[in-house]
Amino acid sequence: MPTYKAPLRDLQFVLHEVLDSESHYQSIGAEEATPDMIDAILSEAGKFCEDVLAPLNRVGDEEGCTYNDGEVTTPTGFKEAYAQWVENGWPSLSHKEEFGGQGLPESIGAAVNEFVSEANWSWGMYPGLSHGAMNTIELHGTDEQKETYLTKLVSGEWTGTMCLTEPHCGSDLGILKSKAEPNGDGSYAITGTKIFISSGEHDMAENIVHIVLARLPGAPEGTKGISLFIVPKFLPDGTRNDVKCGSIEHKMGIHGNATCVMNFDAAKGFLIGPEHQGLKCMFTFMNFARLGTAMQGVASAELSFQGALEYAKDRLAMRSLTGPKAPEKAADPIIVHPDVRRMLLTQKAFAEGGRVMMHAASQLVDVVKYSKDEAKAKEADELLSFLTPIAKAFLTEVGTEAANHGVQVYGGHGFIAEWGMEQIVRDNRIAQLYEGTTGIQALDLLGRKVLMSQGESLKGFTKIVHKFCKANAENETLKPLVEKLAALNKEWGEITMQVGMKAMQNREEVGGAAVDYLMYSGYITLAYYWLLMAKTAQDKLDAGTDEPAFYQAKLKTATFYFDRILPRTESHKTMMLSGVDSMMALDEEHFAF
Amino acid sequence: MPTYKAPLRDLQFVLHEVLDSESHYQSIGAEEATPDMIDAILSEAGKFCEDVLAPLNRVGDEEGCTYNDGEVTTPTGFKEAYAQWVENGWPSLSHKEEFGGQGLPESIGAAVNEFVSEANWSWGMYPGLSHGAMNTIELHGTDEQKETYLTKLVSGEWTGTMCLTEPHCGSDLGILKSKAEPNGDGSYAITGTKIFISSGEHDMAENIVHIVLARLPGAPEGTKGISLFIVPKFLPDGTRNDVKCGSIEHKMGIHGNATCVMNFDAAKGFLIGPEHQGLKCMFTFMNFARLGTAMQGVASAELSFQGALEYAKDRLAMRSLTGPKAPEKAADPIIVHPDVRRMLLTQKAFAEGGRVMMHAASQLVDVVKYSKDEAKAKEADELLSFLTPIAKAFLTEVGTEAANHGVQVYGGHGFIAEWGMEQIVRDNRIAQLYEGTTGIQALDLLGRKVLMSQGESLKGFTKIVHKFCKANAENETLKPLVEKLAALNKEWGEITMQVGMKAMQNREEVGGAAVDYLMYSGYITLAYYWLLMAKTAQDKLDAGTDEPAFYQAKLKTATFYFDRILPRTESHKTMMLSGVDSMMALDEEHFAF
C-alpha cells in the first residue's frame, strides 16, 4: 500500500503561483481567503487526509459495505472518520454563513477535496454527494427547504444523494419512469426504482436527503416532463419515509462506497424548482458534479504516481544500459530504466497538469458563483462549460492510464492486492462511466458545445491560448514548447471546421469523431496548462529562488509532456478526419456469425 | 455474464481459408490433420468450453481459491471439469504417441486452447502450465525423466508448474538465490522461496511436477549460473517432498487460479538439462509460453466483444443522430450510435486480427518443431522469435483495451460484477505483466532481436509483407489498404534505422523507444494479418459464395482497422523519434517534492 502524502507544495505552487489565488479571491470579493489562510486550511486538511482517511482506503476496499435488510454498514473506521470530519467543521467550509457555513469560496472546498479524493475516494463520495445535494437546494429550494434541509447538510449531520438513474435508463433520462402523485397537501407520493445511487444508504449520518427525478401526472414525454423532488429518509417530523435500500451492488471498485438500489414506494417527496424543469435544475449544477468526477482522475494519477515512484526507487532489477548506476547493489533501482521513467513521468504529467486544469476550473466556478461583474461571470460560465466535458472525460481517461502505469511499474506485484496499486485502477474505472460516460461527454463537447455554438465555445479557449503563446513567443527557453502549442492551437480550429463541414453532410460524423476530438482537445488543453506551469517556473528561476530543483523539475516535465505525450494528437486527428463511413458500414446482424 | 459461444466459423476461416491448414499440415508430414478432422476436434472442444468451462468462469472469480495449511481448494466445479477434461483425453492431444499422446501437431492444441482461454482463462492455466512443464521435459529431460514424469503429465493425471520468480527478482533472474545442494545420490536438495507460481498447489490432480530454477554450489554469478530441476510434490516412490505452498495471493483477477508462494525446504530435485544452462533451457520454450499468454489478449478481446455486442443490440438509449432506427421502441438500441460501433469494431478488429496472428504463429511453431527441412525450420524460428514479443505484448495491451471497451459499452452496468464485463479487464491485466512485462518484451524486440541482428530480424517479416503488397498492388478493392500497408512497411525499416543510429550515440535510446516501437510494430503487423483476411474474403466473394455477408464483414472490418486504428502508428513514431533526453533529464530525487 503506497503511503499517501498530501502534495501540499505542489498545490501551493498551482494555487498561489500559477493561478495567482490572491488576485483571484480579491476579484470575487473574498479578500479573507489570503494565501496564508489557504495554506493553513490545506495543511490541516492534508494532515487529516494522511492520518485518518488514507489508512482507511484499503480497509474500505477489502471490507466493502455490508447490506442487511435495508441497512448498510460502512467499512470499519468510515463512520468514525466522518464524525471527526463533521466535528472539525469540514462540511461547512464553502457554504453560506446564513446556513451555518464558513462562507469561503467553492474553490477552497475543491482544493481540500483534492486531498480527500487522493487519500480515499470511496469515503470522499459520502460528503461529496452531500455537496451536490446542497448546491441543488441552495440554488432551487424554497426558504423553508433551505431551513429544513440545507442547514443539516451544511453541518454534516445529514448527508445527501442524487437519484437519477433507473434500471432501464442512465444516459437517456428522457425515458425515466418514476412517478410523483400529488398527495393533496402539497407533498407528493414518489414511486419508482432508482439504481446506482452512491451513498444511498449508510450508517454515517442521522438522515439522508435524496434529490430525486420523477414525472408528475400528465407530464410531457421525454426530458421536458421531469421534475425534481426532495425525498428524505426521515421526514422532518421524524417519521421513517417509504424509501428503502433494496440491495447494494458488487462492483469492480470503490467498494467502500455503497452503490444502492433505492426503492421509492409512495415515499413522501417535496417538489424543488418548477414543475417539469427537473432536468434543467439538475443540469445547473451537473457541470459542478462533473468537475468532482474529473478530480477522481487527477487523484488516481497522483496516488498511483506516489506509489510507483517509491517502488521504482527501491526495487532492484538489471543494470542501466549505460552501465551500473548502483554498483554496490545486486542490480540498479528500476528508476534508472528509461521505460520506467516514461511511465512515472506520464503519471506525473497527468497528475500535475490535471491539477492545474482542475483548480483553474474551480476558479471559474468561483467567478460564475460570486462575481458581481455579469459579463465576467458569463464569460467564465461559457469557458467552464467548454472545459467541463474535457476535464471530466479526458482526465478520467488518463487517470486510468496513469493508474495502469502504476501497476506496470510494480511488475507482477502490481497485480497483488496488498500493494494497493491495482485498487487504484479498479476505483478509477468508474470515473469514465458515471456522471456521463466518456462518449456522452464527447458528444456534449463536440455536438452541444462546439458545433452548436458555431465554434464560438472553442474560440473562447483558443483565444486565451493564442494570447499566451503570442506573449511568450520570444521566450528563449519556452520557445520550442510555445511553437508547438501555437501550431496545435491553430490546427484545433481548422480541424473543428473540417469536422463541422462533414457533419453538415452527415450528422453521424459528430458521433464518429467525438471521442477522438475530445481526447485531441484534452491533450492540447493539458499542454496549455503545462506551459502555464513552465512559464511560472521559468519566471521564478529568472528571479532567483531557493527552490531551483522544484522549478527545474516543472520545466523538465513540461518538455517531457510536449515530446512524449502531446504527439498523441496526431493519431487522433487522422482517425477523426477519416470519417464515419467505416464505422457505419456493417449491418447490426453482421458484427458476428 | 456474457454467454460464451465458441467462434467456430471464424476459427475455421482463419485456419483453413486464411492460413491454408491443409497445405501446412502436409508440409510438416501431418497429413492426418485434415480440415475435417480439425473441425471435428474444434467442434467437440467448443462444446466442452461452452457447456463446462464457461459457466465456471464467474464462479472462479467469485469464490477464488482457498488456502488452508498448505492445501489449496479450487473453486466449485473446477476439479470436476478437470476430471472430465482428462477423461476426454484433451491433455494428450498434441503430445508424442510414445508418451501416451495423440501425436497431433502443436498448432491443433493451440486452436483448442483458444476456446479454453476464452471460456475460462483461470481454469485453462492449470492444464496450460502443465503444457509448459511437458515441453521442458520433452526437450531437455532424460529418458527416465520422460518415462517417470512426462507420461503422467500427458495423461493429465499430474499437472506441472514453472518456478522462476523469487520475492526479490522476476524480470532479472540473474540475481535469483534458490540453492541446489547435491545429495550424493544424484539428486539435489533444493532450498528457496518462489513466488507467483501459477497452479503451484491445487486439488485437481494427484501430483504436481515443479520445474525449478536454482543455483548449484560454486555456480557462476548471474544468468550463467542457474540450473533447472524437476521437483515433484510427491516423489516417484510416493513420499511427500519438502515443497509446500506457504500462501496464495489475493489479486486483481484470475481468482480461479492459485498463485502460490512455494517454499522449498531441502526438497528433493533432479537436474534437467546441463548444469548452469537452466536459463537457456527455459528460454528454449519461453517463446512458446509467451505465445500462450498472447492468446489471453485475443481471448479477452473475443469474450468482451461477445458480451458487448449482445448488450449493444439490446440496450435502448437515445435516438440515432440521423433519426430513429427503432421508432416502435422507447429509444434506439445503442448499436446505432457511431461511438458504440467504434468500440465494438475495435474489439472485433483486435479479436479477429489477433486470432490470425496467433494461429499463424502456431504454424511457425509446428514448422520449427516438426519440419524436416532445416532451412525452413530455421527461417520459421527466426520469424517466430521476431513475432513472439509483438504477439505477447501488443496483443495483451490491446486485449486490455478491448476489455475496457466492453465495460464502457455497458455504461455503469459494466462496473457491476454480475454482468461479467469488469472481470475480463481484471483477468487480462496480468497478461501485460507475467511472462515478461510489456517493457521487457519491447526491449527483447528492439534490443535483442531487431537491433542486435542489424535489422535482419525485422527484414524477415517486412519482406513477407512487401511481397504480399506487391502481389496485390493492382487489386482494385484492396488497393487503398495495400498502399497504406506498403508505405508503413517501408517506414518501419526507416524508423528502425533512425532508432538504431540514435542508439549508437546513446544506449538509453533503445529503452526510451522500445515500447513505442513495439506498439508501432504491433499495429503494422496486425494490419498485415487483416489484409491477409481481406484478400481471402475478396477471393471468396469473387469466386462466388453462399456466405457473402461473412466475407463482406471481413472487408468492412479491415477498412475500419486501416481507417480508425492503424493511424495510431503516427503518434508512436513521433514519440519514439523525439528521443530519450526528456525521459532522462530529471534526477531521481526530483520526481517529487
Side-chain angles (χ1 to χ4, degrees):
Chain A
M1 188 65 206
T3 315
Y4 171 67
K5 193 174 163 299
L8 190 60
R9 176 65 191 96
D10 205 59
L11 187 52
Q12 287 168 329
F13 168 70
V14 169
L15 297 180
H16 307 323
E17 302 172 50
V18 181
L19 301 175
D20 190 4
S21 65
E22 199 159 9
S23 309
H24 166 70
Y25 290 119
Q26 280 169 4
S27 81
I28 56 164
E31 289 81 1
E32 72 280 15
T34 60
D36 281 353
M37 190 214 210
I38 294 168
D39 287 353
I41 291 173
L42 290 181
S43 168
E44 275 312 300
K47 262 184 246 161
F48 182 81
C49 292
E50 289 171 357
D51 299 344
V52 180
L53 297 184
L56 297 176
N57 195 29
R58 264 224 46 70
V59 177
D61 186 61
E62 280 178 342
E63 285 186 21
C65 293
T66 324
Y67 176 84
N68 185 16
D69 194 21
E71 308 278 314
V72 171
T73 310
T74 54
T76 306
F78 270 44
K79 195 176 162 167
E80 292 73 15
Y82 185 74
Q84 214 176 320
W85 174 256
V86 171
E87 201 184 304
N88 295 351
W90 292 111
S92 66
L93 194 69
S94 334
H95 290 278
K96 287 190 184 158
E97 285 159 327
E98 54 186 303
F99 308 115
Q102 298 175 49
L104 287 171
E106 184 84 16
S107 60
I108 296 180
V112 169
N113 185 47
E114 185 196 312
F115 293 165
V116 174
S117 304
E118 285 157 357
N120 192 331
W121 177 263
S122 296
W123 184 93
M125 286 178 74
Y126 295 99
L129 269 290
S130 286
H131 194 74
M134 287 189 252
N135 281 342
T136 312
I137 298 172
E138 195 180 320
L139 271 170
H140 304 290
T142 62
D143 286 348
E144 197 196 326
Q145 287 170 342
K146 288 180 194 170
E147 178 58 32
T148 309
Y149 301 103
L150 191 52
T151 51
K152 293 287 194 178
L153 288 164
V154 167
S155 71
E157 287 164 272
W158 297 358
T159 65
T161 78
M162 307 300 314
C163 301
L164 288 72
T165 302
E166 300 185 359
H168 68 292
C169 69
S171 304
D172 189 0
L173 291 170
I175 54 176
L176 74 76
K177 293 177 182 162
S178 291
K179 283 184 296 192
E181 302 273 347
N183 285 328
D185 62 354
S187 74
Y188 295 82
I190 312 290
T191 302
T193 302
K194 296 287 182 178
I195 64 166
F196 299 163
I197 308 309
S198 301
S199 319
E201 180 57 55
H202 58 80
D203 56 359
M204 286 160 61
E206 299 164 9
N207 197 5
I208 301 173
V209 181
H210 304 286
I211 309 286
V212 185
L213 287 180
R215 288 183 187 283
L216 289 168
E221 288 206 354
T223 53
K224 285 170 185 163
I226 301 171
S227 305
L228 199 59
F229 301 86
I230 296 178
V231 185
K233 177 178 172 183
F234 290 100
L235 292 161
D237 67 3
T239 322
R240 180 68 166 88
N241 204 351
D242 285 323
V243 47
K244 295 268 163 65
C245 175
S247 62
I248 59 174
E249 306 286 354
H250 297 276
K251 46 198 198 295
M252 187 181 194
I254 57 164
H255 294 166
N257 193 271
T259 305
C260 303
V261 173
M262 298 303 297
N263 298 316
F264 295 82
D265 188 13
K268 192 173 262 194
F270 308 95
L271 184 70
I272 173 167
E275 288 188 1
H276 313 319
Q277 303 280 313
L279 215 55
K280 216 175 147 189
C281 293
M282 291 294 275
F283 271 116
T284 322
F285 87 96
M286 190 76 97
N287 279 344
F288 297 180
R290 286 177 172 177
L291 287 179
T293 307
M295 186 68 95
Q296 188 175 3
V298 176
S300 297
E302 174 67 33
L303 185 61
S304 183
F305 171 59
Q306 290 193 13
L309 178 59
E310 200 182 312
Y311 190 77
K313 288 178 177 177
D314 190 54
R315 176 78 176 182
L316 308 178
M318 297 184 284
R319 291 299 180 186
S320 160
L321 290 173
T322 45
K325 298 290 174 284
E328 76 288 2
K329 292 180 180 162
D332 286 336
I334 60 173
I335 198 170
V336 307
H337 304 307
D339 191 58
V340 171
R341 290 176 154 254
R342 178 184 63 85
M343 295 189 278
L344 291 171
L345 285 164
T346 302
Q347 296 183 296
K348 183 176 165 70
F350 291 147
E352 296 177 8
R355 176 169 295 127
V356 191
M357 196 192 294
M358 287 310 305
H359 296 292
S362 291
Q363 288 194 346
L364 294 174
V365 172
D366 281 351
V367 176
V368 174
K369 217 170 162 179
Y370 312 110
S371 179
K372 302 235 154 51
D373 180 335
E374 264 187 49
K376 253 187 103 175
K378 187 169 172 283
E379 193 186 356
D381 194 32
E382 280 164 6
L383 195 55
L384 187 62
S385 89
F386 170 77
L387 285 175
T388 299
I390 295 177
K392 197 286 179 182
F394 174 75
L395 291 178
T396 60
E397 290 282 332
V398 301
T400 288
E401 182 192 325
N404 269 311
H405 288 313
V407 167
Q408 202 69 18
V409 168
Y410 275 68
H413 297 277
F415 197 65
I416 307 301
E418 68 174 306
W419 291 90
M421 300 305 286
E422 56 88 39
Q423 183 190 339
I424 311 172
V425 176
R426 289 186 291 101
D427 283 354
N428 193 67
R429 187 63 185 81
I430 187 62
Q432 296 156 265
L433 297 165
Y434 58 16
E435 297 290 340
T437 62
T438 298
I440 295 289
Q441 303 297 330
L443 280 177
D444 180 51
L445 175 70
L446 180 59
R448 249 170 54 93
K449 308 272 167 77
V450 174
L451 294 181
M452 223 178 262
S453 72
Q454 312 283 341
E456 285 307 313
S457 165
L458 171 66
K459 266 185 217 152
F461 187 71
T462 52
K463 259 191 225 163
I464 295 171
V465 177
H466 177 72
K467 214 171 125 184
F468 178 86
C469 289
K470 217 172 148 184
N472 294 286
E474 302 309 318
N475 183 318
E476 274 315 307
T477 318
L478 301 179
K479 207 171 186 171
L481 310 189
V482 170
E483 281 172 359
K484 274 188 196 175
L485 180 60
L488 276 172
N489 196 47
K490 191 162 163 282
E491 184 188 83
W492 199 358
E494 292 160 2
I495 283 180
T496 305
M497 286 274 285
Q498 290 179 56
V499 173
M501 298 291 277
K502 274 172 180 280
M504 283 166 68
Q505 307 295 320
N506 178 4
R507 291 284 296 153
E508 302 289 10
E509 290 286 352
V510 180
V515 168
D516 280 312
Y517 185 84
L518 184 135
M519 294 305 291
Y520 174 92
S521 303
Y523 289 115
I524 299 176
T525 306
L526 202 65
Y528 166 69
Y529 287 114
W530 260 110
L531 203 46
L532 216 55
M533 275 198 277
K535 161 78 176 146
T536 310
Q538 183 64 46
D539 288 349
K540 291 281 173 176
L541 287 165
D542 289 347
T545 167
D546 53 3
E547 293 174 288
F550 178 85
Y551 296 111
Q552 286 290 357
K554 288 291 174 196
L555 287 171
K556 287 172 181 172
T557 310
T559 301
F560 171 83
Y561 180 81
F562 274 73
D563 273 9
R564 306 286 313 200
I565 298 181
L566 188 56
R568 294 183 190 181
T569 53
E570 296 173 19
S571 298
H572 287 298
K573 175 185 159 190
T574 306
M575 293 187 286
M576 75 176 112
L577 294 181
S578 81
V580 81
D581 294 349
S582 69
M583 279 173 180
M584 306 312 285
L586 209 53
D587 286 341
E588 206 177 303
E589 67 268 34
H590 297 153
F591 272 70
F593 291 86
Chain B
M1 188 64 206
T3 314
Y4 171 67
K5 194 175 163 298
L8 190 60
R9 176 66 190 97
D10 206 60
L11 187 52
Q12 286 168 332
F13 168 70
V14 169
L15 297 180
H16 306 324
E17 302 173 48
V18 182
L19 300 176
D20 189 4
S21 64
E22 198 160 8
S23 310
H24 167 68
Y25 290 120
Q26 280 170 3
S27 82
I28 58 163
E31 289 80 3
E32 73 281 13
T34 61
D36 282 351
M37 189 214 209
I38 295 168
D39 287 352
I41 292 173
L42 291 181
S43 168
E44 275 311 301
K47 264 184 244 161
F48 183 82
C49 292
E50 289 171 358
D51 300 344
V52 179
L53 297 185
L56 297 175
N57 195 29
R58 271 236 24 80
V59 177
D61 186 60
E62 280 177 342
E63 285 187 19
C65 294
T66 324
Y67 177 85
N68 184 17
D69 193 21
E71 307 280 314
V72 171
T73 310
T74 54
T76 307
F78 270 45
K79 194 175 163 171
E80 292 73 16
Y82 185 75
Q84 214 177 319
W85 173 258
V86 170
E87 201 185 303
N88 295 349
W90 292 111
S92 65
L93 194 70
S94 339
H95 289 279
K96 286 191 184 158
E97 285 160 326
E98 54 186 301
F99 306 117
Q102 299 175 49
L104 287 171
E106 184 84 16
S107 60
I108 296 180
V112 169
N113 185 46
E114 186 197 311
F115 292 162
V116 174
S117 303
E118 285 158 356
N120 192 331
W121 177 264
S122 296
W123 183 93
M125 287 177 74
Y126 295 99
L129 269 289
S130 285
H131 194 73
M134 286 188 252
N135 281 343
T136 312
I137 297 173
E138 196 181 319
L139 271 170
H140 303 290
T142 62
D143 287 345
E144 198 195 325
Q145 287 169 340
K146 289 180 193 172
E147 178 58 33
T148 310
Y149 301 103
L150 193 51
T151 50
K152 293 286 194 178
L153 289 164
V154 168
S155 71
E157 288 164 273
W158 296 359
T159 65
T161 79
M162 308 299 316
C163 301
L164 288 72
T165 303
E166 300 185 1
H168 68 292
C169 70
S171 304
D172 189 0
L173 290 170
I175 54 177
L176 75 75
K177 292 176 182 164
S178 290
K179 282 184 299 191
E181 302 272 348
N183 285 328
D185 61 356
S187 74
Y188 294 82
I190 313 289
T191 303
T193 302
K194 296 287 180 176
I195 64 166
F196 298 163
I197 308 310
S198 300
S199 320
E201 180 58 53
H202 58 80
D203 55 1
M204 286 160 60
E206 299 165 7
N207 196 7
I208 301 173
V209 181
H210 304 285
I211 310 285
V212 186
L213 288 180
R215 289 185 186 283
L216 289 168
E221 287 205 357
T223 53
K224 285 172 185 161
I226 301 171
S227 304
L228 199 59
F229 300 87
I230 296 177
V231 186
K233 177 177 171 185
F234 290 101
L235 292 162
D237 67 4
T239 324
R240 180 69 167 90
N241 205 352
D242 285 324
V243 46
K244 294 269 162 65
C245 174
S247 61
I248 59 174
E249 306 286 353
H250 297 276
K251 48 198 196 293
M252 186 181 194
I254 57 164
H255 296 163
N257 193 272
T259 305
C260 303
V261 173
M262 299 301 299
N263 298 316
F264 296 83
D265 187 12
K268 191 174 263 195
F270 309 95
L271 185 70
I272 173 166
E275 288 187 2
H276 312 319
Q277 303 281 313
L279 215 55
K280 215 173 148 192
C281 293
M282 291 292 274
F283 271 116
T284 320
F285 88 95
M286 190 76 97
N287 277 344
F288 297 179
R290 286 176 172 178
L291 287 179
T293 307
M295 187 66 95
Q296 188 175 5
V298 176
S300 298
E302 173 66 31
L303 185 62
S304 184
F305 172 59
Q306 290 193 13
L309 178 59
E310 199 181 314
Y311 190 78
K313 288 179 177 177
D314 190 55
R315 175 81 175 179
L316 308 177
M318 297 185 285
R319 292 297 179 187
S320 160
L321 290 173
T322 46
K325 298 290 174 283
E328 75 289 0
K329 293 180 180 163
D332 286 336
I334 61 174
I335 197 170
V336 308
H337 304 308
D339 192 56
V340 172
R341 289 175 155 257
R342 178 185 63 84
M343 293 189 278
L344 290 171
L345 285 164
T346 302
Q347 295 182 296
K348 183 176 165 69
F350 291 149
E352 296 178 7
R355 177 169 296 129
V356 191
M357 198 192 293
M358 287 310 305
H359 296 291
S362 290
Q363 287 193 346
L364 293 174
V365 172
D366 280 351
V367 177
V368 173
K369 216 169 161 180
Y370 311 110
S371 177
K372 303 238 152 55
D373 181 336
E374 264 187 49
K376 254 188 102 175
K378 187 168 172 283
E379 193 186 355
D381 194 33
E382 280 165 6
L383 194 54
L384 187 63
S385 88
F386 171 76
L387 285 175
T388 298
I390 295 176
K392 197 284 180 184
F394 174 76
L395 291 178
T396 60
E397 290 283 332
V398 301
T400 288
E401 182 191 327
N404 269 310
H405 288 313
V407 167
Q408 202 70 15
V409 167
Y410 275 67
H413 297 277
F415 197 65
I416 307 300
E418 68 172 306
W419 291 91
M421 300 306 285
E422 57 88 37
Q423 183 190 337
I424 310 172
V425 176
R426 289 186 289 102
D427 283 354
N428 193 69
R429 187 62 186 83
I430 187 62
Q432 295 157 267
L433 297 164
Y434 58 16
E435 297 291 340
T437 63
T438 298
I440 294 290
Q441 303 297 330
L443 279 177
D444 180 51
L445 175 70
L446 180 59
R448 248 171 53 96
K449 307 271 167 78
V450 174
L451 294 181
M452 223 178 260
S453 72
Q454 313 283 338
E456 286 305 315
S457 166
L458 171 66
K459 267 185 216 152
F461 187 71
T462 52
K463 259 191 225 163
I464 295 171
V465 177
H466 177 72
K467 215 172 126 185
F468 178 86
C469 289
K470 217 173 149 185
N472 294 284
E474 301 310 319
N475 182 318
E476 274 314 307
T477 319
L478 301 180
K479 207 171 187 173
L481 310 190
V482 170
E483 280 172 0
K484 274 188 197 175
L485 180 61
L488 276 171
N489 195 46
K490 190 161 165 280
E491 185 188 83
W492 198 359
E494 291 160 4
I495 283 180
T496 305
M497 284 275 285
Q498 289 179 57
V499 173
M501 298 291 277
K502 274 171 178 283
M504 283 165 69
Q505 307 296 318
N506 178 3
R507 290 285 296 155
E508 302 288 9
E509 291 285 352
V510 180
V515 168
D516 280 312
Y517 185 84
L518 184 134
M519 294 305 290
Y520 174 92
S521 304
Y523 288 115
I524 300 177
T525 305
L526 201 65
Y528 166 69
Y529 287 114
W530 260 109
L531 204 45
L532 217 53
M533 276 198 276
K535 161 78 177 144
T536 309
Q538 185 62 47
D539 288 349
K540 291 280 171 176
L541 287 165
D542 290 347
T545 166
D546 51 4
E547 292 174 288
F550 178 85
Y551 296 110
Q552 287 289 357
K554 288 293 172 194
L555 286 172
K556 288 170 180 174
T557 311
T559 302
F560 171 83
Y561 180 81
F562 275 73
D563 273 10
R564 306 284 314 199
I565 299 181
L566 188 55
R568 295 184 189 179
T569 53
E570 295 174 20
S571 297
H572 286 299
K573 174 185 160 189
T574 306
M575 293 188 286
M576 77 176 109
L577 294 182
S578 82
V580 80
D581 294 350
S582 69
M583 281 173 178
M584 307 310 287
L586 209 54
D587 286 341
E588 205 177 303
E589 66 269 32
H590 296 152
F591 272 70
F593 291 87

